[in-house]
Amino acid sequence: MPSSAHLGDLLDPRHTVLLTVECQRGVVGPDAALPELARAARSSGALANVARLVAGAHGSGVQVIHAVAERRPDGRGANRNARLFRAAERLPVRQLTGTTAVQVAPPIEVTGEDFVVRRLHGLSPIQGTDVDALLRNLGCRTLVVAGVSANVAIPNAVFDAVNRGYTALVPADAVAGVPSDYTPAMIRHTLALVATVATTDEVLAGFARRDGRLRPE
């Protein structure tokens, strides 16, 4: 695990952004499209830890961005070039624009200072969305990535962040995927090679070490 001094340097609120990934009602809520993933996010404590991270970010002046995946009711512009996309079209709960399925799920609280970035296509919360431009305009250097799923969107976000020059930090207990034993293996053998891995408590302690609003210098 990283030292507290190292985390304190990485998590300077002036240059840190917390990105929550697909923590929406239709993905991790009680009536989610993928019940197994929703159960994993809740039973593991990952969703509760995301909520703790968001609350800590709000209290420490760390900017929060919520990345939400959705689709138009007519499906226009959505990908159909992978099995995952085609299966999503047949699910009983669809992530349709304007429905409760694409609202950020409790217990995560969204404030007026948060950004909610919605995507209609692809697998990544960063590629092809407004996230990268927002990060650059905010002066971000460290991107904390939390949410679901460890199978697809989380690794996409981490790789995209690193490829764009950001330092990625993953709170391992604020990430969930299926099956449950896949998540720690993926973090250990893949994400740990390119990102700093910590716990929610360590990240919150890093947030608390400094004070001030994220702003470009």
Side-chain angles (χ1 to χ4, degrees), residues 51-100:
R52 291 175 61 212
L53 288 166
V54 170
H58 290 158
S60 302
V62 170
Q63 180 66 56
V64 180
I65 299 177
H66 304 281
V68 173
E70 59 182 50
R71 60 185 290 121
R72 288 167 49 120
D74 60 11
R76 290 173 65 86
N79 289 69
R80 293 182 177 82
N81 57 336
R83 176 183 171 192
L84 177 65
F85 301 124
R86 296 189 294 271
E89 293 179 345
R90 301 190 295 270
L91 292 172
V93 177
R94 301 171 68 201
Q95 315 301 318
L96 299 182
T97 301
T99 67
T100 58

Short mmCIF file of all heavy atoms in Angstrom, two decimals, residues 51-100:
data_model
loop_
_atom_site.label_atom_id
_atom_site.label_comp_id
_atom_site.label_asym_id
_atom_site.label_seq_id
_atom_site.Cartn_x
_atom_site.Cartn_y
_atom_site.Cartn_z
N ALA A 51 -20.00 6.12 -1.83
CA ALA A 51 -20.74 7.21 -1.17
C ALA A 51 -19.87 7.92 -0.15
O ALA A 51 -19.90 9.15 -0.02
CB ALA A 51 -21.99 6.65 -0.51
N ARG A 52 -19.06 7.17 0.60
CA ARG A 52 -18.14 7.77 1.57
C ARG A 52 -17.10 8.64 0.87
O ARG A 52 -16.77 9.73 1.34
CB ARG A 52 -17.45 6.69 2.38
CG ARG A 52 -18.36 5.92 3.33
CD ARG A 52 -17.59 4.79 3.99
NE ARG A 52 -16.46 5.31 4.77
CZ ARG A 52 -15.30 4.67 4.94
NH1 ARG A 52 -15.11 3.49 4.37
NH2 ARG A 52 -14.34 5.22 5.66
N LEU A 53 -16.58 8.15 -0.24
CA LEU A 53 -15.60 8.93 -0.99
C LEU A 53 -16.20 10.24 -1.51
O LEU A 53 -15.56 11.29 -1.45
CB LEU A 53 -15.06 8.11 -2.16
CG LEU A 53 -14.12 6.96 -1.80
CD1 LEU A 53 -13.93 6.03 -3.00
CD2 LEU A 53 -12.77 7.49 -1.34
N VAL A 54 -17.43 10.16 -2.02
CA VAL A 54 -18.09 11.36 -2.53
C VAL A 54 -18.31 12.36 -1.39
O VAL A 54 -18.04 13.56 -1.54
CB VAL A 54 -19.42 10.99 -3.21
CG1 VAL A 54 -20.24 12.24 -3.52
CG2 VAL A 54 -19.17 10.20 -4.48
N ALA A 55 -18.78 11.87 -0.24
CA ALA A 55 -18.99 12.77 0.90
C ALA A 55 -17.67 13.39 1.34
O ALA A 55 -17.60 14.58 1.65
CB ALA A 55 -19.64 12.00 2.05
N GLY A 56 -16.60 12.58 1.37
CA GLY A 56 -15.29 13.10 1.75
C GLY A 56 -14.77 14.11 0.75
O GLY A 56 -14.15 15.12 1.13
N ALA A 57 -15.01 13.86 -0.53
CA ALA A 57 -14.59 14.81 -1.56
C ALA A 57 -15.33 16.13 -1.40
O ALA A 57 -14.73 17.21 -1.49
CB ALA A 57 -14.84 14.21 -2.94
N HIS A 58 -16.63 16.05 -1.17
CA HIS A 58 -17.41 17.27 -0.97
C HIS A 58 -16.87 18.08 0.21
O HIS A 58 -16.79 19.31 0.16
CB HIS A 58 -18.88 16.93 -0.73
CG HIS A 58 -19.59 16.41 -1.94
ND1 HIS A 58 -20.73 15.64 -1.86
CD2 HIS A 58 -19.31 16.53 -3.27
CE1 HIS A 58 -21.12 15.33 -3.08
NE2 HIS A 58 -20.28 15.86 -3.94
N GLY A 59 -16.49 17.38 1.28
CA GLY A 59 -16.02 18.07 2.47
C GLY A 59 -14.61 18.61 2.35
O GLY A 59 -14.21 19.49 3.12
N SER A 60 -13.84 18.09 1.38
CA SER A 60 -12.43 18.47 1.26
C SER A 60 -12.15 19.36 0.06
O SER A 60 -10.99 19.74 -0.17
CB SER A 60 -11.56 17.21 1.14
OG SER A 60 -11.75 16.37 2.26
N GLY A 61 -13.17 19.69 -0.72
CA GLY A 61 -12.95 20.52 -1.89
C GLY A 61 -12.45 19.78 -3.10
O GLY A 61 -11.92 20.39 -4.03
N VAL A 62 -12.59 18.44 -3.11
CA VAL A 62 -12.21 17.65 -4.27
C VAL A 62 -13.39 17.62 -5.24
O VAL A 62 -14.53 17.30 -4.84
CB VAL A 62 -11.81 16.22 -3.86
CG1 VAL A 62 -11.65 15.32 -5.08
CG2 VAL A 62 -10.53 16.25 -3.04
N GLN A 63 -13.15 17.93 -6.50
CA GLN A 63 -14.22 17.92 -7.49
C GLN A 63 -14.70 16.50 -7.75
O GLN A 63 -13.91 15.56 -7.83
CB GLN A 63 -13.72 18.52 -8.80
CG GLN A 63 -14.75 18.54 -9.91
CD GLN A 63 -15.91 19.47 -9.59
OE1 GLN A 63 -15.70 20.66 -9.34
NE2 GLN A 63 -17.13 18.95 -9.61
N VAL A 64 -16.01 16.34 -7.90
CA VAL A 64 -16.61 15.03 -8.19
C VAL A 64 -17.25 15.07 -9.58
O VAL A 64 -17.97 16.01 -9.92
CB VAL A 64 -17.68 14.65 -7.15
CG1 VAL A 64 -18.29 13.29 -7.48
CG2 VAL A 64 -17.07 14.63 -5.74
N ILE A 65 -16.98 14.03 -10.36
CA ILE A 65 -17.65 13.82 -11.64
C ILE A 65 -18.32 12.45 -11.60
O ILE A 65 -17.67 11.45 -11.27
CB ILE A 65 -16.67 13.87 -12.83
CG1 ILE A 65 -15.98 15.24 -12.91
CG2 ILE A 65 -17.39 13.56 -14.14
CD1 ILE A 65 -14.95 15.34 -14.03
N HIS A 66 -19.61 12.40 -11.92
CA HIS A 66 -20.34 11.14 -11.99
C HIS A 66 -20.50 10.77 -13.46
O HIS A 66 -21.11 11.52 -14.24
CB HIS A 66 -21.72 11.28 -11.34
CG HIS A 66 -21.67 11.76 -9.92
ND1 HIS A 66 -21.37 10.94 -8.86
CD2 HIS A 66 -21.89 13.01 -9.39
CE1 HIS A 66 -21.40 11.63 -7.75
NE2 HIS A 66 -21.71 12.89 -8.04
N ALA A 67 -19.96 9.63 -13.85
CA ALA A 67 -20.07 9.17 -15.23
C ALA A 67 -21.22 8.18 -15.33
O ALA A 67 -21.23 7.15 -14.66
CB ALA A 67 -18.76 8.51 -15.67
N VAL A 68 -22.18 8.50 -16.17
CA VAL A 68 -23.40 7.71 -16.32
C VAL A 68 -23.51 7.19 -17.75
O VAL A 68 -23.25 7.93 -18.70
CB VAL A 68 -24.64 8.57 -15.96
CG1 VAL A 68 -25.93 7.82 -16.26
CG2 VAL A 68 -24.58 9.00 -14.50
N ALA A 69 -23.88 5.93 -17.88
CA ALA A 69 -24.10 5.33 -19.20
C ALA A 69 -25.59 5.29 -19.48
O ALA A 69 -26.39 4.87 -18.64
CB ALA A 69 -23.53 3.91 -19.24
N GLU A 70 -25.99 5.76 -20.66
CA GLU A 70 -27.40 5.73 -21.00
C GLU A 70 -27.57 5.55 -22.50
O GLU A 70 -26.59 5.52 -23.25
CB GLU A 70 -28.10 7.02 -20.54
CG GLU A 70 -27.54 8.30 -21.12
CD GLU A 70 -28.24 9.54 -20.57
OE1 GLU A 70 -28.37 9.67 -19.35
OE2 GLU A 70 -28.67 10.37 -21.40
N ARG A 71 -28.80 5.41 -22.93
CA ARG A 71 -29.10 5.28 -24.35
C ARG A 71 -30.42 5.94 -24.66
O ARG A 71 -31.29 6.08 -23.79
CB ARG A 71 -29.13 3.80 -24.78
CG ARG A 71 -30.17 2.97 -24.07
CD ARG A 71 -30.07 1.50 -24.45
NE ARG A 71 -30.50 1.26 -25.81
CZ ARG A 71 -29.74 0.73 -26.76
NH1 ARG A 71 -28.50 0.37 -26.48
NH2 ARG A 71 -30.20 0.54 -27.97
N ARG A 72 -30.57 6.39 -25.89
CA ARG A 72 -31.84 6.96 -26.33
C ARG A 72 -32.88 5.84 -26.45
O ARG A 72 -32.53 4.69 -26.74
CB ARG A 72 -31.67 7.63 -27.69
CG ARG A 72 -30.88 8.91 -27.69
CD ARG A 72 -30.49 9.32 -29.09
NE ARG A 72 -31.61 9.28 -30.04
CZ ARG A 72 -32.07 10.33 -30.72
NH1 ARG A 72 -31.50 11.51 -30.54
NH2 ARG A 72 -33.04 10.21 -31.58
N PRO A 73 -34.16 6.16 -26.27
CA PRO A 73 -35.20 5.14 -26.44
C PRO A 73 -35.18 4.50 -27.82
O PRO A 73 -35.49 3.31 -27.96
CB PRO A 73 -36.49 5.91 -26.19
CG PRO A 73 -36.11 7.01 -25.28
CD PRO A 73 -34.73 7.41 -25.72
N ASP A 74 -34.79 5.27 -28.86
CA ASP A 74 -34.74 4.69 -30.20
C ASP A 74 -33.41 4.02 -30.51
O ASP A 74 -33.22 3.45 -31.59
CB ASP A 74 -35.05 5.75 -31.27
CG ASP A 74 -34.06 6.92 -31.27
OD1 ASP A 74 -33.01 6.82 -30.59
OD2 ASP A 74 -34.33 7.93 -31.93
N GLY A 75 -32.47 4.07 -29.55
CA GLY A 75 -31.19 3.40 -29.72
C GLY A 75 -30.23 4.06 -30.69
O GLY A 75 -29.14 3.54 -30.94
N ARG A 76 -30.59 5.20 -31.24
CA ARG A 76 -29.73 5.85 -32.23
C ARG A 76 -28.40 6.26 -31.61
O ARG A 76 -28.35 6.83 -30.53
CB ARG A 76 -30.42 7.06 -32.83
CG ARG A 76 -31.60 6.70 -33.73
CD ARG A 76 -32.36 7.94 -34.18
NE ARG A 76 -31.54 8.79 -35.03
CZ ARG A 76 -31.40 8.64 -36.35
NH1 ARG A 76 -32.01 7.64 -36.96
NH2 ARG A 76 -30.66 9.48 -37.05
N GLY A 77 -27.33 5.96 -32.32
CA GLY A 77 -26.00 6.32 -31.86
C GLY A 77 -25.35 5.33 -30.93
O GLY A 77 -24.18 5.48 -30.58
N ALA A 78 -26.09 4.30 -30.50
CA ALA A 78 -25.53 3.32 -29.56
C ALA A 78 -24.73 2.26 -30.32
O ALA A 78 -25.03 1.93 -31.47
CB ALA A 78 -26.65 2.66 -28.77
N ASN A 79 -23.72 1.73 -29.66
CA ASN A 79 -22.92 0.66 -30.26
C ASN A 79 -23.72 -0.64 -30.35
O ASN A 79 -24.53 -0.96 -29.49
CB ASN A 79 -21.68 0.38 -29.41
CG ASN A 79 -20.65 1.47 -29.48
OD1 ASN A 79 -20.87 2.56 -28.98
ND2 ASN A 79 -19.52 1.17 -30.10
N ARG A 80 -23.42 -1.41 -31.40
CA ARG A 80 -23.96 -2.76 -31.55
C ARG A 80 -22.87 -3.72 -32.01
O ARG A 80 -23.16 -4.80 -32.51
CB ARG A 80 -25.13 -2.77 -32.54
CG ARG A 80 -26.35 -2.00 -32.04
CD ARG A 80 -27.52 -2.05 -33.02
NE ARG A 80 -28.68 -1.36 -32.49
CZ ARG A 80 -28.87 -0.05 -32.55
NH1 ARG A 80 -27.96 0.73 -33.11
NH2 ARG A 80 -29.96 0.51 -32.03
N ASN A 81 -21.62 -3.31 -31.82
CA ASN A 81 -20.51 -4.06 -32.38
C ASN A 81 -19.84 -5.00 -31.38
O ASN A 81 -18.71 -5.43 -31.58
CB ASN A 81 -19.45 -3.10 -32.95
CG ASN A 81 -18.93 -2.12 -31.90
OD1 ASN A 81 -19.60 -1.82 -30.93
ND2 ASN A 81 -17.72 -1.60 -32.12
N ALA A 82 -20.53 -5.32 -30.29
CA ALA A 82 -20.00 -6.27 -29.31
C ALA A 82 -21.17 -6.98 -28.64
O ALA A 82 -22.28 -6.45 -28.54
CB ALA A 82 -19.14 -5.57 -28.27
N ARG A 83 -20.89 -8.17 -28.16
CA ARG A 83 -21.93 -8.98 -27.51
C ARG A 83 -22.57 -8.24 -26.34
O ARG A 83 -23.78 -8.32 -26.13
CB ARG A 83 -21.27 -10.27 -27.02
CG ARG A 83 -22.17 -11.19 -26.23
CD ARG A 83 -21.36 -12.40 -25.76
NE ARG A 83 -22.10 -13.20 -24.82
CZ ARG A 83 -21.56 -14.17 -24.09
NH1 ARG A 83 -20.27 -14.44 -24.22
NH2 ARG A 83 -22.29 -14.87 -23.26
N LEU A 84 -21.76 -7.49 -25.59
CA LEU A 84 -22.28 -6.77 -24.43
C LEU A 84 -23.37 -5.78 -24.81
O LEU A 84 -24.40 -5.68 -24.14
CB LEU A 84 -21.12 -6.03 -23.74
CG LEU A 84 -21.46 -5.15 -22.53
CD1 LEU A 84 -21.98 -6.01 -21.39
CD2 LEU A 84 -20.23 -4.36 -22.10
N PHE A 85 -23.16 -5.05 -25.90
CA PHE A 85 -24.15 -4.05 -26.32
C PHE A 85 -25.44 -4.73 -26.78
O PHE A 85 -26.54 -4.26 -26.46
CB PHE A 85 -23.59 -3.20 -27.46
CG PHE A 85 -22.33 -2.46 -27.11
CD1 PHE A 85 -21.18 -2.62 -27.86
CD2 PHE A 85 -22.30 -1.58 -26.03
CE1 PHE A 85 -20.02 -1.94 -27.56
CE2 PHE A 85 -21.14 -0.89 -25.72
CZ PHE A 85 -20.00 -1.08 -26.47
N ARG A 86 -25.32 -5.81 -27.52
CA ARG A 86 -26.51 -6.49 -28.02
C ARG A 86 -27.31 -7.11 -26.87
O ARG A 86 -28.54 -7.08 -26.88
CB ARG A 86 -26.11 -7.56 -29.04
CG ARG A 86 -25.47 -6.96 -30.30
CD ARG A 86 -25.29 -8.01 -31.39
NE ARG A 86 -24.34 -9.04 -31.02
CZ ARG A 86 -23.03 -8.97 -31.24
NH1 ARG A 86 -22.51 -7.89 -31.81
NH2 ARG A 86 -22.23 -9.96 -30.89
N ALA A 87 -26.61 -7.62 -25.86
CA ALA A 87 -27.31 -8.19 -24.71
C ALA A 87 -28.04 -7.11 -23.93
O ALA A 87 -29.15 -7.34 -23.42
CB ALA A 87 -26.30 -8.89 -23.81
N ALA A 88 -27.43 -5.92 -23.83
CA ALA A 88 -28.06 -4.82 -23.08
C ALA A 88 -29.40 -4.42 -23.68
O ALA A 88 -30.31 -3.98 -22.96
CB ALA A 88 -27.12 -3.63 -23.03
N GLU A 89 -29.54 -4.57 -25.00
CA GLU A 89 -30.79 -4.20 -25.65
C GLU A 89 -31.94 -5.11 -25.23
O GLU A 89 -33.11 -4.74 -25.34
CB GLU A 89 -30.62 -4.26 -27.17
CG GLU A 89 -29.67 -3.20 -27.71
CD GLU A 89 -29.51 -3.31 -29.22
OE1 GLU A 89 -29.90 -4.36 -29.79
OE2 GLU A 89 -28.99 -2.35 -29.83
N ARG A 90 -31.62 -6.31 -24.73
CA ARG A 90 -32.66 -7.28 -24.37
C ARG A 90 -32.95 -7.34 -22.88
O ARG A 90 -33.83 -8.08 -22.45
CB ARG A 90 -32.24 -8.68 -24.86
CG ARG A 90 -32.01 -8.77 -26.36
CD ARG A 90 -31.84 -10.21 -26.81
NE ARG A 90 -30.65 -10.82 -26.24
CZ ARG A 90 -29.45 -10.78 -26.82
NH1 ARG A 90 -29.28 -10.14 -27.97
NH2 ARG A 90 -28.41 -11.36 -26.25
N LEU A 91 -32.22 -6.55 -22.09
CA LEU A 91 -32.41 -6.58 -20.65
C LEU A 91 -33.75 -5.94 -20.26
O LEU A 91 -34.21 -5.00 -20.92
CB LEU A 91 -31.27 -5.85 -19.95
CG LEU A 91 -29.90 -6.52 -20.03
CD1 LEU A 91 -28.82 -5.60 -19.47
CD2 LEU A 91 -29.90 -7.86 -19.30
N PRO A 92 -34.37 -6.43 -19.18
CA PRO A 92 -35.66 -5.86 -18.77
C PRO A 92 -35.56 -4.43 -18.28
O PRO A 92 -36.53 -3.67 -18.35
CB PRO A 92 -36.11 -6.80 -17.64
CG PRO A 92 -34.85 -7.45 -17.14
CD PRO A 92 -33.97 -7.57 -18.34
N VAL A 93 -34.40 -4.04 -17.74
CA VAL A 93 -34.17 -2.65 -17.31
C VAL A 93 -33.16 -2.05 -18.28
O VAL A 93 -32.05 -2.53 -18.42
CB VAL A 93 -33.62 -2.59 -15.88
CG1 VAL A 93 -33.33 -1.13 -15.49
CG2 VAL A 93 -34.61 -3.21 -14.90
N ARG A 94 -33.56 -0.98 -18.95
CA ARG A 94 -32.68 -0.33 -19.92
C ARG A 94 -32.32 1.06 -19.41
O ARG A 94 -33.12 1.73 -18.76
CB ARG A 94 -33.38 -0.25 -21.28
CG ARG A 94 -33.76 -1.63 -21.82
CD ARG A 94 -34.64 -1.51 -23.04
NE ARG A 94 -33.91 -0.96 -24.18
CZ ARG A 94 -34.50 -0.39 -25.23
NH1 ARG A 94 -35.82 -0.26 -25.27
NH2 ARG A 94 -33.78 0.07 -26.22
N GLN A 95 -31.11 1.47 -19.73
CA GLN A 95 -30.59 2.73 -19.21
C GLN A 95 -31.02 3.88 -20.13
O GLN A 95 -30.20 4.48 -20.83
CB GLN A 95 -29.06 2.65 -19.10
CG GLN A 95 -28.51 1.37 -18.48
CD GLN A 95 -29.01 1.12 -17.08
OE1 GLN A 95 -29.08 2.04 -16.26
NE2 GLN A 95 -29.36 -0.11 -16.78
N LEU A 96 -32.31 4.18 -20.13
CA LEU A 96 -32.86 5.15 -21.07
C LEU A 96 -32.75 6.57 -20.53
O LEU A 96 -33.03 6.84 -19.36
CB LEU A 96 -34.32 4.82 -21.37
CG LEU A 96 -34.59 3.45 -22.02
CD1 LEU A 96 -36.07 3.29 -22.29
CD2 LEU A 96 -33.77 3.28 -23.29
N THR A 97 -32.35 7.47 -21.41
CA THR A 97 -32.24 8.88 -21.06
C THR A 97 -33.54 9.40 -20.45
O THR A 97 -34.62 9.15 -20.97
CB THR A 97 -31.92 9.70 -22.32
OG1 THR A 97 -30.69 9.23 -22.88
CG2 THR A 97 -31.80 11.18 -22.01
N GLY A 98 -33.41 10.08 -19.33
CA GLY A 98 -34.57 10.70 -18.70
C GLY A 98 -35.31 9.81 -17.72
O GLY A 98 -36.26 10.27 -17.08
N THR A 99 -34.90 8.55 -17.57
CA THR A 99 -35.57 7.65 -16.64
C THR A 99 -34.81 7.57 -15.32
O THR A 99 -33.66 8.02 -15.21
CB THR A 99 -35.70 6.23 -17.23
OG1 THR A 99 -34.38 5.65 -17.35
CG2 THR A 99 -36.36 6.28 -18.61
N THR A 100 -35.46 6.96 -14.33
CA THR A 100 -34.80 6.82 -13.02
C THR A 100 -33.58 5.91 -13.11
O THR A 100 -32.68 6.00 -12.27
CB THR A 100 -35.77 6.26 -11.98
OG1 THR A 100 -36.28 4.99 -12.43
CG2 THR A 100 -36.93 7.22 -11.75
#
